[in-house]
């Protein structure tokens, strides 16, 4: 039987990062852009439309209530393949506005909004490469006729909140301009779309290959990365396969300088969250 280990310190690194908890998770001002968009003209237009459809005064609705109705629609459609009555309240343009609202939250709370969001995931990033290093080391020691390496498959299970910071740490889906409350139109073709990055059952897979027919020893170990079963091009080469050596070299600063305790330690001086972020 396979032994299952619960390692919250690894898969819920964000809960164990005091700086993230204090300055982002429990800091209302960290979500300034999200709250500003809720009060902005795009959301106001959606609120007025929904209020009219429900024959309610617009003052009785807010962005959070409308978002709940939209999520109810999307959940039933995605999970049950049922078109909920709530869906009739929203047009495609309304859906884009509400998608942006959710993307803003993910961006500022789990993505590129603050450095600590992604930096806190470096322990998980290191662990991935430690496992790959172990596989490479075992492969080199074992003769070709020997049995496979001790752990040919390693599965770690977390949440979207685990995966989103890790992908940000690796530099994926980063837009030239940050997502803000006042640039909804300019971000119409943004890379950072959380519904596509971390949908239901989101998954990230690293596949390590041992290649016999190669010209150099550097090419002997190669790696691919798949997000939601789709191959991802690596930043350093724009190719979907890389030598393991080149991939490690590209991320060497993160791999060598992941000091979780120091990164997540709260400042000893009296400093506000806004100043720190």
């Amino acid at each position: 039987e396979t032994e299952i280990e619960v390692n919250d310190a690894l898969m819920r690194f964000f809960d164990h990062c005091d700086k993230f908890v204090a300055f982002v998770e429990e800091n209302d001002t960290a979500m300034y852009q999200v709250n500003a968009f809720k009060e902005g003209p795009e959301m106001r237009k959606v609120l007025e439309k929904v209020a009219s459809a429900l024959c309610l005064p617009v003052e009785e609705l807010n962005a959070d209530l409308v978002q709940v109705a939209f999520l109810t629609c999307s959940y039933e459609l995605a999970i049950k393949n049922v078109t909920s009555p709530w869906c009739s309240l929203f047009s495609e343009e309304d859906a884009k506005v509400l998608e942006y609202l959710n993307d803003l939250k993910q961006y500022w709370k789990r993505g590129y909004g603050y450095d600590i969001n992604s930096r806190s995931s470096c322990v998980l990033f290191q662990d991935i490469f430690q496992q790959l290093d172990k596989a490479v080391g075992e492969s080199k020691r074992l003769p070709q006729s020997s049995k496979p390496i001790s752990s040919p498959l390693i599965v770690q299970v977390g949440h979207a909140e685990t995966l989103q910071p890790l992908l940000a740490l690796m530099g994926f889906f980063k837009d030239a301009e940050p997502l803000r409350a006042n640039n909804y139109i300019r971000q119409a073709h943004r890379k950072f779309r959380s519904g596509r990055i971390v949908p239901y059952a989101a998954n990230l897979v690293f596949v390590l290959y041992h290649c016999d027919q190669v010209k150099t020893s550097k090419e002997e170990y190669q790696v691919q990365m798949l997000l939601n079963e789709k191959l991802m091009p690596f930043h350093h080469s724009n190719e979907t396969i890389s030598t393991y050596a080149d991939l490690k070299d590209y991320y060497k600063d993160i791999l060598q300088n992941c000091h979780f305790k120091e990164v997540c330690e709260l400042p000893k001086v009296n400093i506000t969250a806004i100043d720190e972020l």
Side-chain angles (χ1 to χ4, degrees):
E1 294 183 3
T2 303
E3 182 179 347
I4 298 176
E5 175 188 358
V6 176
N7 189 347
D8 282 348
L10 183 64
M11 301 307 290
R12 296 187 64 87
F13 49 81
F14 42 87
D15 284 342
H16 299 263
C17 183
D18 292 341
K19 190 174 181 180
F20 170 79
V21 172
F23 291 163
V24 181
E25 184 73 40
E26 297 180 353
N27 176 21
D28 290 339
T29 60
M31 295 297 103
Y32 169 80
Q33 297 294 336
V34 179
N35 295 328
F37 189 73
K38 288 179 180 180
E39 302 298 326
E42 293 88 2
M43 275 305 304
R44 182 67 184 181
K45 186 177 179 181
V46 175
L47 283 174
E48 290 173 349
K49 180 181 175 182
V50 172
S52 176
L54 295 175
C55 299
L56 290 172
V58 70
E59 292 75 18
E60 293 189 15
L61 290 179
N62 58 44
D64 292 335
L65 288 172
V66 170
Q67 192 172 34
V68 168
F70 180 68
L71 290 175
T72 302
C73 159
S74 61
Y75 287 157
E76 292 198 23
L77 186 63
I79 297 173
K80 299 180 180 179
N81 198 26
V82 172
T83 302
S84 166
W86 291 108
C87 295
S88 64
L89 295 175
F90 305 104
S91 66
E92 183 176 342
E93 183 55 39
D94 298 334
K96 290 178 180 178
V97 171
L98 289 160
E99 178 196 20
Y100 191 71
L101 175 60
N102 186 62
D103 286 349
L104 274 175
K105 179 181 178 181
Q106 293 299 320
Y107 184 90
W108 289 96
K109 200 167 188 176
R110 304 294 177 183
Y112 292 103
Y114 303 110
D115 285 344
I116 191 61
N117 298 350
S118 60
R119 291 179 68 195
S120 62
S121 73
C122 72
V123 287
L124 177 56
F125 188 71
Q126 272 192 332
D127 183 78
I128 291 169
F129 279 82
Q130 286 168 2
Q131 300 293 347
L132 293 171
D133 283 344
K134 181 182 177 182
V136 168
E138 288 187 16
S139 175
K140 287 181 177 179
R141 290 193 297 271
L142 293 171
Q144 290 186 5
S145 60
S146 180
K147 63 182 180 180
I149 59 174
S150 59
S151 300
L153 175 66
I154 297 173
V155 179
Q156 304 275 26
V157 182
H159 294 275
E161 292 81 3
T162 307
L163 197 50
Q164 188 75 77
L166 180 64
L167 289 167
L169 183 71
M170 297 179 70
F172 289 102
F173 308 106
K174 186 174 185 180
D175 294 284
E177 182 180 359
L179 274 63
R180 296 193 179 95
N182 62 358
N183 63 0
Y184 167 71
I185 297 297
R186 293 198 302 277
Q187 293 288 12
H189 301 289
R190 62 191 178 279
K191 298 175 184 176
F192 192 92
R193 304 189 95 99
S194 58
R196 298 178 185 176
I197 301 169
V198 283
Y200 297 128
N203 56 86
L204 179 65
V205 179
F206 287 83
V207 184
L208 181 68
Y209 297 95
H210 181 206
C211 308
D212 294 327
Q213 307 298 321
V214 292
K215 296 179 180 178
T216 66
S217 59
K218 181 181 178 181
E219 298 173 311
E220 185 177 356
Y221 294 94
Q222 302 193 31
V223 64
Q224 287 186 316
M225 190 178 81
L226 296 89
L227 178 65
N228 304 321
E229 293 89 54
K230 294 182 179 179
L231 284 169
M232 295 281 287
F234 293 107
H235 288 300
H236 63 280
S237 64
N238 205 33
E239 300 289 340
T240 58
I241 192 163
S242 168
T243 66
Y244 185 50
D246 283 345
L247 185 64
K248 286 185 67 176
D249 183 65
Y250 182 74
Y251 288 115
K252 64 181 179 182
D253 288 341
I254 301 174
L255 293 171
Q256 295 173 3
N257 298 300
C258 173
H259 307 293
F260 185 82
K261 183 178 179 180
E262 290 81 358
V263 164
C264 291
E265 189 176 34
L266 288 171
K268 293 181 173 60
V269 297
N270 187 16
I271 189 170
T272 67
I274 290 296
D275 290 339
E276 178 66 19
L277 292 173

